[in-house]
Amino acid sequence: MKLVPESRITDFTRRGWWGDTTLDQLFCANVQQLPDHTAVVDAPNRASITDGEPRRLTYTQLDAQVERLAAVMLADGLRHDDIVVVQMPNCVEQFVVYLACARLGAIVTPVPAQYREHELGHVLTLTGARAAITSRRIGSHAHANMFMSLRVQHPALRTVFAFGDPRTAWPDGVTALESRMADRHDADALRAYTRTLGLSANDVFTICWTSGTEAIPKGVPRSHNEWLSVAPAAIESAQLQPQCRMLCPFPLVNMAGISVGFVAWLKLGGTAVQHHPFDLAIFLQQLRNESIDYTIAAPAVLGQMLHDDTLADGIDFQRLCTIGSGSAPLSPWLVEGFKNRFGVDIVNHFGSNEGASLTSGPRDIPAAADRARYFPRAGVQGIEWSVSTTRRIETRLVDLETDEEITEPGRTGELRYRGVTIFHGYWNAPDKTAQSFDAQGYFRTGDLFEISGPRNEFYRYVGRSKDLIIRGGMNISPEELENLILAHRSVREAAVIGYPDSLMGERVCACVVLHADTALDLQQLTAFLRDGQRVAAFKLPERLAILEALPRNPVGKVLKRVLREQLAAAHPPPRQPHVSPAATV
């Protein structure tokens, strides 16, 4: 399925930015060149997350598993352009699934392990997915059972595949992949199919999901070429070398995880050491024991390592000399602290599923304190940077009130972005796509920056124009939660806001006005959302503010700025940030 306009394909191909190599072809080249090189490694605590003991696969062993799964999927009727919902923790089998879909030409739509019936129902409705691949359990939740229950409302979902212990009881109708893949498979039929497939690097490989500010999630399709276009930013800014060992603590469901943990891994022929959900003790153990060359971590985790010297004991920082971070603003003391204490350069990443990405690395911004505050003003004529993608995109700042382009420092505007990394449009949502691009074809990021630096060469992040909560790197739509909370019989009005948190970046607060003679507490509200509405746990409010009335402007719009000020006054931030030893990020 090609969704990118032909004119865009022709232009980028002519410039040498896009090619003919698919992700499966890239993987097969690694299998040929690095047959015995370790490809992917499970976290040591795998058994506490999902069935099975930790595994390590070489490229040859991984290829054998990919072939077996692809043959099973083909035998079950899955073909080119069929959409497959994938909900798994970070594990070896996740790579098997993505690569098997790439080999068949099926489209992967990955979703967070935390999603429940509410969120999955949206995805299944919007995609018409024909199959789901999951784990029998993730943590204590029975994911295979959940997908079987969803088939009643989503008849297009013909098959539910699941990895898991074949000795345990399985729900009726689920295809147990451990057993199926152990059976004899028809490799000849698979090879005959792939020879005539005609898969192109411009075919869609994934549909990832972004909550944005709307109540319904938006799908972001990306082709093989579109994914291969974003990986150089991470590789070049961190100066990653071929066959490097990368620790991947972000879920492989969106831009942050897939671009580094999967696509950059493929391009480098590297070793992907899996990790998620986040556990600080396990993360540090893997840094010590797995000879890691590169990892990414949330600012709060890095801050904890600086506050507690013992956490860094035994880590080879001569090898791990670069660490990526993002999902929340970085502080200068943190970036300087890692450089001064460990000799480690922190790379500051800013981006979105839509492909608007800024990367602040040591080659372009050597001063550690500057790297925390500024990003290269990429894609602006006359300003050159080392990362190759900066020469394949264009950016500008626009005043949201006047729609005037901003070229002078100190004035806030919305970052707008176009070029090779930007997606071409939302899945089956032409109206939302049209609203997201301006008249000149620039993507409206909703993020506010201003021009800075002695030569006006930097962007400085100011905030968001969109009403969005980002908790631990996960986007949460306030409107979605507000609509769900209003279904509670005690709630007359509702507004959802984010409040700052040193660990998660932001957490969720529900501000409600109750009907007369009713009562509500936080535990009752979260139980209503979790058990009654089947909402993912990461979206659940962690504070509840009961108000006499919501502050509104003269035309009736809720003033969330005022709500945030009221919340901050009632709950001042702690003086010292704290990170628990094992926290979900």
Side-chain angles (χ1 to χ4, degrees), residues 1-5 8 18 204 206-210 218-223 226 353-355 417 419-437 441-443:
M1 182 187 299
K2 294 187 183 76
L3 296 180
V4 178
R8 183 181 177 96
W18 283 3
V204 175
T206 60
I207 303 171
C208 295
W209 298 92
T210 179
K218 300 188 295 292
V220 179
R222 294 194 81 85
S223 70
E226 287 176 303
N353 272 337
E354 290 89 347
Y417 204 114
V420 72
T421 66
I422 291 292
F423 80 131
H424 57 275
Y426 294 111
W427 175 260
N428 285 346
D431 292 343
K432 290 179 181 177
T433 298
Q435 294 166 6
S436 297
F437 289 86
Y442 285 81
F443 173 62

Side-chain angles (χ1 to χ4, degrees), residues 13 32 52 132 252 262 297 579 581:
T13 303
Q32 291 296 315
L252 299 187
F262 184 73
V579 179

Side-chain angles (χ1 to χ4, degrees), residues 458-475:
F458 297 142
Y459 284 133
R460 186 181 72 84
Y461 178 69
V462 174
R464 290 192 301 272
S465 65
K466 294 179 179 178
D467 185 16
L468 177 69
I469 300 168
I470 303 179
R471 182 188 185 278
M474 301 290 287
N475 287 1

Side-chain angles (χ1 to χ4, degrees), residues 19 28 67 92 107 109 154 210 275 284 334 466 469 476 481 529 560 581:
C28 290
E67 181 178 276
V92 163
I107 298 171
T109 183
H154 301 278
T210 179
H275 181 110
L284 295 171
L334 188 152
K466 294 179 179 178
I469 300 168
I476 299 172
L481 279 180
L529 293 171
K560 293 193 174 182

Side-chain angles (χ1 to χ4, degrees), residues 396-416:
R396 64 188 188 126
L397 294 188
V398 174
D399 187 300
L400 287 174
E401 294 185 2
T402 66
D403 210 34
E404 174 190 3
E405 183 167 350
I406 296 171
T407 57
E408 69 272 19
R411 182 178 168 191
T412 298
E414 181 189 39
L415 177 69
R416 298 192 181 175

Side-chain angles (χ1 to χ4, degrees), residues 113-147:
Q114 301 97 320
Y115 272 19
R116 296 296 182 260
E117 289 90 339
H118 172 72
E119 295 83 11
L120 292 172
H122 285 315
V123 171
L124 292 170
T125 298
L126 291 169
T127 62
R130 296 188 63 189
I133 301 180
T134 187
S135 302
R136 185 185 69 86
R137 69 169 180 91
I138 303 176
S140 60
H141 190 75
H143 282 66
N145 284 2
M146 178 173 63
F147 271 104

Side-chain angles (χ1 to χ4, degrees), residues 212-230:
T213 57
E214 292 83 9
I216 296 177
K218 300 188 295 292
V220 179
R222 294 194 81 85
S223 70
H224 299 251
N225 267 328
E226 287 176 303
W227 273 117
L228 291 168
S229 294
V230 300

Side-chain angles (χ1 to χ4, degrees), residues 373-407:
R373 293 188 292 255
Y374 302 128
F375 293 95
R377 196 172 161 214
V380 175
Q381 191 171 4
I383 306 177
E384 296 293 328
W385 304 100
S386 67
V387 175
S388 61
T389 50
T390 62
R391 296 181 286 281
R392 300 174 182 181
I393 55 96
E394 297 172 90
T395 65
R396 64 188 188 126
L397 294 188
V398 174
D399 187 300
L400 287 174
E401 294 185 2
T402 66
D403 210 34
E404 174 190 3
E405 183 167 350
I406 296 171
T407 57

